[in-house]
Amino acid sequence: MTRSRIDDVLPLSPLQEGLLFLSRYDDSGSDDVYVVQFRFDIDGPLDADRIRTAAETLLERHPNLRAGFRQQRREGRPVQVVPRTVRLPWDEVDLSGLSAAERAAETDRLLQADRALRFDLARPPLMRFTLIRLGPRTHRLVFTHHHLLLDGWSMGLLIKELFALYERPADRHALRPPVPYRDYLGWLARQDETAARQAWSGALAGVEEPTLVAGQERGRATGAPAELVTDLSEELTAALVARGRSARLTLNTLVQGAWGLLVGGLTGRHDVIFAEIVSGRPDDLSGAETMIGMFANALPVRMTVAPGESLVAALRRLQENRGRLMPHQHLGLSAIQSLVEPAELFDTMVIFENYPLDPDTLQVAAGDIRLTEVSEHAATHYPLCLMVLPGDRLRLRLSYRTDLYDRATVARLTERLTALLELLAHDPDRPAATVDVLSAAERWDLLVTRNDTARPVPGAAVSQLFAAQVREHPGAVAVRAGGRELTYAALDRRSARLAGRLAALGAGPEQRVAVMAERTTDLPATLLAVLRTGAAYAPLDPLHPAERIAQVLDDVRPVCVVTDGTTDVPLPAGVPVLRLADLPADPSADDETGGEGGDPAAVPHPDQAAYVIHTSGSTGRPKGVVVPHGALANHLADMGERVPLGPGDRLLAVTTVSFDIAALEIFLPLTRGAAVALADQDTVLDPAALAGTITACGATVMQATPTLWRTLAGDHPEALRGLHVLTGGEPLPDDLAAALTGAAAEVTNLYGPTETTIWSTAASLRPGAPVTIGRPMANTRVYVLDGALRPVPVGVRGGLYVAGAGLARGYGGRAGLTAERFVADPFGGAGERMYRTGDVAAWRADGVLEFAGRVDGQVKIRGFRVETGEIEAALRTHPQVAEAAVVARTEQGGTRRLDGYVVPATAGGESASAQREQDRERAWRDVYDTLYREREGEPYAAWTSSYDGAPIPVAEMDEWR
């Protein structure tokens, strides 16, 4: 286009910049959501030539409607180029000869095809008209334009002007000259951008994360937008208006407040952000209310609601904050988003239509024609957009992306929004914490239906269940380890002999017996022996540092310690020690099955302690989880149904006894007549050796963390054939799930903290299916709650809580910590508790749970729960370490590691640098004396440590040890 044919070159308004970017970003050929279509039904003898001439006159009167959008060659900024003349695209279609059904079908086809036709934004005009003749006196005028040209306010002005030009074609020049759009663009250039940036920066201070209802990975739209229209009743509309007047709140504020509460419920947050569309027509610009063009602007709205405050207080703050920002509504959204991190603040929008396009006022009487109906088709790129039309009955138009939401879900959202508007109209003084966005049916589904897990509670403890298998299968192999086998009868005699010795040393109900033994046949015999006395075992890993072992012993204060003598670890003075080497090696030396262990049919009380497992603590001190007999028996009963075992089945146990899932590996087969094969440490650390052991021992079941499964699935998939894979302890990556389901006979993904007895939920995975953590196990209830302990809707992330028969008693000797994590269950019976896991999850529509990470600094490394605070505390104990930070990182291939960073205490100069080098080895030697080794994987490979940015080689760490 030559300069002589250009009438003007204009800058863009803020919203035009955003719309242009979005339209160019999504130029894949699919529909442009910012193509707006208006339909006008006209009754009477319409003159097609006159209405076309009127439309062409609009382009003459308003130069900005002739604009095309291009990129400046020199500066690269977008501009709107206005040619002197353009041809208005005009089409006429006659459908009057068709039947009513044919007319309706063809009209719909024409409208859809028109909406799908994208504009070339550089080739004006970005508007077109289609006149459809439906009968002798019935027409439909279709006006389609790109949203870059017009906002809603302008649309009302434009249509009135169009029909005024039609009515008086000879007097078209007598109409008042329009105020040029360039006046508004000049006003924009004169505004104080620095002050606006400061105002918005203050309004968004403290925002830490975006408010994304549809989630982080929603991607580009792959489906056409749709909408659901709901009209509120006249009574509710009147009540909202009256409430607004009495509380000095605008109707827009009430609607935005309801939307903010809904968004808060959908995201589980009390501080939310969504977008609004403001008119953008400044009061200090003469004629702004009559200008035609794009004045509107999209701006963030931040709504914070403290749980203890009333709803009306939150609404007043919302309105006051918006009022303070009104002088700065000219700033573009991209400029506002550049002020904060993250730059993407929201994915929902509220549009309160206050422009003069009320169909009741557009009863055009131009000669013998009149406008009978006006309808609009418009959309945005946002996953959810609420458009509100005022009137005697407030109309809610909720548009949505069909690739993210189905109509039923959007209908539920509309019902929730309506209920919130009812609440604001009739009870705005209610505390925010009492507001529930769920309907009664949804609450019932989340709290009751999905937790319908009640089963008969087992009446026998592990020792009794084992005794029953001894009677049924005395000659069957029970344990294999280190080339040695024990039958059920032999294992029973060995454990009975041990139980007698332990009882003589004081073992009994509510007493603790520390067990520190290698993975031989004596390990399960010892654990069974402790349970036969009614005492609880506290396992110690011989490979843990001496300091940690000492901490555990000090915590449990055992009546005795059972050891095989293979590890030279200082034991507490005055505590009896039972050395397994002192017992006869031949279990047949005792002919009595019951031996010295008392009555194997005696049932301990379900609430009495069965074992104590120590987990990482944020203060640097491990905490002992006390698990009762009833919880363990309940869990074994559930797993016995999920993993059917019997004589001939073998479970290969690979987990250190200090990890709670070892209890499942040992006791599940021994209470089902199957065999447990114990793999030694060296075998577990060697994938080839482990694969060979799986095949050689004929394992049918194996339980391990995803980290360990990855070493097998990648290089030794043949070992998984015919195997029932149990995986848990850390998130299961999609690629590993695909490898496992493709190679193994069956894969069960399990989730559960130590405090809820090994596993709490389970999912049977199928090839190609998404990875979830499944549904709650027997007699277990699972809740996904927000910060006020309210259930969050399906698909919304919240804190994960577990209740039911699997709950541990708490942390031994740590009443305060127990009360902090084991809280009252507001949905259970009197006195029932639930465990606050610290994990984040979301319910899916199909009734299963998706794991979504942690809310604190706790991480999982090869199944071990590690508090980064514990490691940081250990690092800070060194005199040369001032500050420390530990983070978990995931490497390529899915392997997780911990990185530790320290700030040296010595300050400045060459001596400080030399001191750092001198202290480097000493500091990390002390650290690794403090931290315990992990049993699955290379001993130190999980810890990639650095001091002042320099990595410490794994080999060097091993030398220190």
Side-chain angles (χ1 to χ4, degrees):
M1 184 182 298
T2 63
R3 181 65 193 176
S4 61
R5 298 176 60 189
I6 296 176
D7 187 45
D8 208 348
V9 177
L10 302 173
L12 272 61
S13 70
L15 189 56
Q16 282 180 322
E17 290 185 358
L19 293 176
L20 182 62
F21 169 79
L22 291 170
S23 294
R24 288 177 172 172
Y25 171 75
D26 189 15
D27 61 354
S28 57
S30 59
D31 295 354
D32 186 341
V33 296
Y34 291 103
V35 171
V36 182
Q37 184 185 78
F38 274 85
R39 287 92 66 184
F40 307 97
D41 288 351
I42 302 172
D43 180 63
L46 180 70
D47 186 327
D49 291 336
R50 281 174 59 187
I51 195 68
R52 179 176 184 176
T53 300
E56 290 172 338
T57 304
L58 292 175
L59 289 177
E60 296 176 14
R61 286 173 52 82
H62 303 282
N64 54 298
L65 297 184
R66 304 195 298 269
F69 294 80
R70 298 174 178 268
Q71 207 80 16
Q72 273 188 327
R73 292 181 180 178
R74 293 183 180 179
E75 299 180 10
R77 292 182 59 84
V79 293
Q80 40 188 328
V81 179
V82 181
R84 294 187 183 279
T85 61
V86 293
R87 185 186 66 82
L88 176 68
W90 181 275
D91 194 17
E92 295 183 19
V93 180
D94 189 352
L95 303 180
S96 59
L98 303 179
S99 66
E102 291 173 331
R103 283 198 304 272
E106 182 61 14
T107 299
D108 287 344
R109 188 195 68 78
L110 288 172
L111 293 176
Q112 290 179 12
D114 179 66
R115 289 195 299 270
L117 182 60
R118 297 177 69 103
F119 286 101
D120 181 344
L121 302 183
R123 296 173 62 88
L126 307 184
M127 56 191 295
R128 56 179 175 262
F129 284 85
T130 301
L131 181 62
I132 304 175
R133 179 182 175 88
L134 301 174
R137 296 177 55 86
T138 307
H139 296 77
R140 174 168 290 178
L141 180 63
V142 182
F143 172 45
T144 304
H145 69 280
H146 199 281
H147 202 15
L148 280 163
L149 295 182
L150 297 166
D151 57 18
W153 186 296
S154 298
M155 188 65 206
L157 299 173
L158 190 75
I159 296 306
K160 288 183 177 181
E161 188 172 308
L162 172 68
F163 284 97
L165 290 168
Y166 175 85
E167 185 177 9
R168 299 186 300 275
D171 301 330
R172 63 182 185 173
H173 297 296
L175 293 179
R176 177 181 300 179
V179 182
Y181 181 65
R182 66 170 14 259
D183 287 3
Y184 165 67
L185 297 176
W187 176 90
L188 277 177
R190 296 191 297 271
Q191 300 313 298
D192 188 343
E193 183 173 341
T194 301
R197 284 178 172 271
Q198 290 175 347
W200 281 106
S201 181
L204 299 174
V207 173
E208 297 180 350
E209 58 179 319
T211 305
L212 302 180
V213 173
Q216 292 275 4
E217 300 179 358
R218 59 189 182 276
R220 291 190 181 187
T222 57
E227 68 178 21
L228 183 65
V229 179
T230 302
D231 290 336
L232 301 186
S233 67
E234 292 186 9
E235 293 77 13
L236 176 54
T237 302
L240 285 168
V241 173
R243 178 61 64 186
R245 289 172 180 166
S246 64
R248 302 186 305 280
L249 298 170
T250 66
L251 187 58
N252 189 15
T253 296
L254 290 170
V255 171
Q256 287 191 351
W259 185 256
L261 292 171
L262 179 62
V263 169
L266 294 175
T267 56
R269 297 173 54 192
H270 301 296
D271 184 355
V272 301
I273 300 178
F274 52 89
E276 71 167 336
I277 295 294
V278 297
S279 69
R281 294 173 184 263
D283 295 334
D284 58 345
L285 177 61
S286 177
E289 71 280 0
T290 65
M291 291 184 184
I292 289 178
M294 173 52 72
F295 296 81
N297 198 10
L299 297 172
V301 178
R302 184 180 186 182
M303 181 176 176
T304 58
V305 182
E309 72 175 336
S310 66
L311 294 175
V312 71
L315 292 176
R316 284 173 179 158
R317 183 171 60 255
L318 170 67
Q319 184 165 286
E320 290 168 0
N321 291 341
R322 291 182 64 249
R324 280 191 289 269
L325 289 168
M326 285 188 69
H328 311 290
Q329 289 183 343
H330 56 83
L331 194 63
L333 182 59
S334 60
I336 294 173
Q337 290 179 322
S338 69
L339 302 173
V340 294
E341 287 289 343
E344 184 182 24
L345 294 172
F346 47 78
D347 67 353
T348 69
M349 174 178 282
V350 176
I351 303 174
F352 197 92
E353 292 191 347
N354 57 357
Y355 50 79
L357 187 57
D358 184 349
D360 293 336
T361 67
L362 291 179
Q363 299 301 318
V364 176
D368 294 330
I369 70 166
R370 62 189 182 91
L371 191 62
T372 59
E373 186 175 347
V374 179
S375 58
E376 174 191 12
H377 185 281
T380 75
H381 70 284
Y382 293 102
L384 289 173
C385 178
L386 174 67
M387 188 174 295
V388 183
L389 290 82
D392 293 338
R393 300 183 65 181
L394 207 62
R395 171 165 289 185
L396 309 179
R397 290 172 51 184
L398 187 55
S399 65
Y400 59 96
R401 275 177 47 178
T402 53
D403 56 329
L404 297 175
Y405 299 97
D406 57 31
R407 196 167 186 81
T409 299
V410 175
R412 286 195 298 271
L413 294 179
T414 303
E415 291 172 2
R416 293 173 188 160
L417 181 61
T418 303
L420 289 169
L421 289 169
E422 288 268 10
L423 185 62
L424 294 181
H426 301 294
D427 192 11
D429 295 320
R430 172 183 292 196
T434 65
V435 177
D436 192 345
V437 300
L438 297 175
S439 66
E442 288 175 311
R443 284 178 60 86
W444 182 268
D445 174 56
L446 293 171
L447 297 177
V448 179
T449 304
R450 297 178 185 232
N451 285 313
D452 184 14
T453 61
R455 304 288 187 275
V457 178
V462 169
S463 56
Q464 283 69 45
L465 296 172
F466 171 70
Q469 297 303 321
V470 173
R471 292 190 295 271
E472 289 189 33
H473 314 288
V477 174
V479 181
R480 292 182 177 184
R484 185 183 178 197
E485 292 183 349
L486 286 182
T487 64
Y488 270 86
L491 178 61
D492 180 53
R493 290 193 293 269
R494 183 68 167 171
S495 66
R497 178 179 293 275
L498 280 168
R501 297 290 184 90
L502 292 174
L505 294 173
E510 293 308 320
Q511 300 296 329
R512 311 290 189 260
V513 175
V515 176
M516 184 166 57
E518 295 287 348
R519 300 172 63 76
T520 68
T521 55
D522 271 338
L523 179 59
T526 303
L527 301 183
L528 284 169
V530 176
L531 296 181
R532 292 175 81 142
T533 68
Y537 67 85
L540 301 172
D541 192 327
L543 293 182
H544 280 181
E547 182 179 354
R548 181 178 176 89
I549 292 175
Q551 287 177 332
V552 172
L553 290 171
D554 180 65
D555 188 64
V556 299
R557 300 185 183 278
V559 295
C560 62
V561 178
V562 181
T563 177
D564 57 11
T566 58
T567 304
D568 185 17
V569 175
L571 298 175
V575 177
V577 176
L578 176 59
R579 301 186 184 280
L580 295 173
D582 295 340
L583 293 177
D586 182 9
S588 65
D590 188 283
D591 294 331
E592 299 294 330
T593 301
E596 305 173 39
D599 184 0
V603 181
H605 192 280
D607 293 338
Q608 290 177 340
Y611 63 80
V612 181
I613 293 287
H614 282 74
T615 67
S616 178
S618 59
T619 63
R621 174 187 170 190
K623 52 187 183 287
V625 180
V626 182
V627 175
H629 284 277
L632 179 58
N634 177 76
H635 182 70
L636 293 175
D638 179 284
M639 290 299 296
E641 295 180 4
R642 297 177 189 274
V643 188
L645 293 175
D649 286 308
R650 296 174 184 84
L651 188 153
L652 180 61
V654 298
T655 310
T656 172
V657 73
S658 63
F659 194 1
D660 65 331
I661 67 174
L664 177 66
E665 291 180 336
I666 292 173
F667 297 133
L668 181 60
L670 294 182
T671 56
R672 295 282 164 168
V676 55
L678 296 167
D680 59 42
Q681 177 72 9
D682 292 338
T683 299
V684 174
L685 298 180
D686 184 342
L690 182 58
T693 299
I694 294 172
T695 303
C697 76
T700 55
V701 180
M702 180 174 143
Q703 174 180 250
T705 63
T707 300
L708 185 56
W709 283 121
R710 188 177 290 279
T711 66
L712 291 171
D715 297 329
H716 307 281
E718 72 284 351
L720 276 59
R721 295 194 186 102
L723 196 65
H724 188 154
V725 166
L726 305 179
T727 180
E730 57 192 42
L732 178 63
D734 291 336
D735 65 323
L736 179 56
L740 292 176
T741 55
E746 190 169 353
V747 178
T748 301
N749 191 34
L750 298 150
Y751 162 84
T754 303
E755 290 83 350
T756 61
T757 310
I758 310 177
W759 306 125
S760 303
T761 69
S764 181
L765 302 185
R766 296 289 180 267
V771 176
T772 73
I773 57 174
R775 293 178 169 84
M777 301 178 75
N779 301 305
T780 299
R781 301 186 302 278
V782 176
Y783 311 126
V784 182
L785 309 177
D786 65 12
L789 299 185
R790 297 170 298 193
V792 299
V794 170
V796 177
R797 293 180 177 183
L800 187 57
Y801 292 76
V802 180
L807 249 63
R809 285 177 14 186
Y811 303 109
R814 309 281 290 276
L817 185 59
T818 298
E820 177 186 336
R821 301 304 293 262
F822 293 83
V823 298
D825 181 358
F827 317 109
E832 290 194 78
R833 305 171 304 151
M834 60 183 183
Y835 176 66
R836 180 168 57 89
T837 67
D839 291 326
V840 178
W843 283 111
R844 294 186 357 153
D846 56 4
V848 300
L849 284 163
E850 287 185 338
F851 181 80
R854 291 286 302 175
V855 297
D856 53 24
Q858 193 181 95
V859 297
K860 284 285 189 77
I861 299 292
R862 289 199 289 276
F864 285 87
R865 191 169 69 186
V866 177
E867 296 272 6
T868 55
E870 178 181 0
I871 304 173
E872 291 166 356
L875 294 173
R876 284 191 291 266
T877 60
H878 193 273
Q880 295 301 327
V881 174
E883 292 295 337
V886 174
V887 295
R889 300 191 186 279
T890 302
E891 298 177 313
Q892 288 186 347
T895 301
R896 299 199 83 194
R897 73 182 193 188
L898 291 180
D899 284 1
Y901 302 89
V902 298
V903 177
T906 308
E910 295 183 4
S911 60
S913 177
Q915 186 68 39
R916 279 199 298 271
E917 292 300 319
Q918 183 178 354
D919 290 340
R920 180 169 176 258
E921 179 175 334
R922 184 189 308 122
W924 284 105
R925 190 197 317 268
D926 290 350
V927 167
Y928 281 93
D929 279 340
T930 303
L931 301 178
Y932 58 87
R933 291 191 181 196
E934 296 193 2
R935 296 296 299 273
E936 296 181 42
E938 298 180 9
Y940 291 110
W943 308 92
T944 300
S945 308
S946 61
Y947 186 86
D948 198 28
I952 300 177
V954 169
E956 184 178 334
M957 299 177 193
D958 284 333
E959 290 176 6
W960 294 348
R961 291 296 298 178

